[in-house]
Amino acid sequence: MEIWINPACSKCRGALSLLDAEGAEYTVRRYLEEPPGEDEIRDVLARLGLEPWEITRAQEAEAKELGLLEWAREPGSRERWIGALARHPKLIQRPIITADDGTAVVARTEEAVRDALGRG
C-alpha cells in the first residue's frame, strides 16, 4: 500500500504510527514534493469512490485565492477541480492510503487506517 502524506500533518503522523504499530508494509509518498498528476488524481478518486471536491481542503489559503467555494460541484466541473488539485497539491485532503486491493481511503481517523489495513 501507499500513503500520501504531508509530514507536518498530525493526522498523517498518526496514521504512520498506527501502520508501524501494526507492522504494515507501505510506501510513503510526500505528495507536496512529488505531486500527483491529473490521471493519478482521477485514479485515486475512482478508488475512493469520491468526487474531487470531496477531497479538497477548502480552508486552505490557496482554495480561497482560487475561489473554490464558489465552484460548481457537478459532473461538468469535475475536470476543473481535478486540474486545481494537480496544480495545487496542498488542497488534497490527507492522508490518503491506496490499498493493494485497488481501493483507497482518506485515513484521517484510526478507524479509516484500520479499514485500509484490512484491505491489504
Side-chain angles (χ1 to χ4, degrees):
M1 70 178 64
E2 180 177 79
I3 181 168
W4 293 8
I5 68 156
N6 173 352
C9 168
S10 63
K11 299 284 187 189
C12 294
R13 292 191 306 270
L16 291 173
S17 293
L18 182 54
L19 291 173
D20 289 341
E22 295 295 326
E25 291 185 25
Y26 61 90
T27 302
V28 171
R29 177 164 182 185
R30 294 177 180 220
Y31 72 95
L32 297 179
E33 297 169 18
E34 188 185 339
E38 291 184 17
D39 286 341
E40 245 182 314
I41 292 170
R42 283 185 203 94
D43 177 61
V44 164
L45 288 168
R47 293 172 81 166
L48 288 166
L50 297 173
E51 293 297 338
W53 46 86
E54 294 175 298
I55 66 161
T56 299
R57 297 176 54 82
Q59 73 280 13
E60 293 289 339
E62 291 174 9
K64 291 178 177 82
E65 291 168 16
L66 293 169
L68 284 180
L69 295 177
E70 286 78 45
W71 289 14
R73 296 175 182 221
E74 59 190 20
S77 299
R78 192 168 199 271
E79 290 303 309
R80 182 181 187 196
W81 284 86
I82 290 169
L85 293 175
R87 286 187 306 281
H88 306 277
K90 191 173 187 180
L91 297 176
I92 299 171
Q93 191 57 266
R94 63 195 181 240
I96 292 176
I97 297 176
T98 55
D100 294 339
D101 71 353
T103 62
V105 296
V106 178
R108 295 190 57 77
T109 64
E110 182 176 327
E111 181 180 80
V113 176
R114 290 195 184 284
D115 182 35
L117 283 167
R119 298 174 187 205

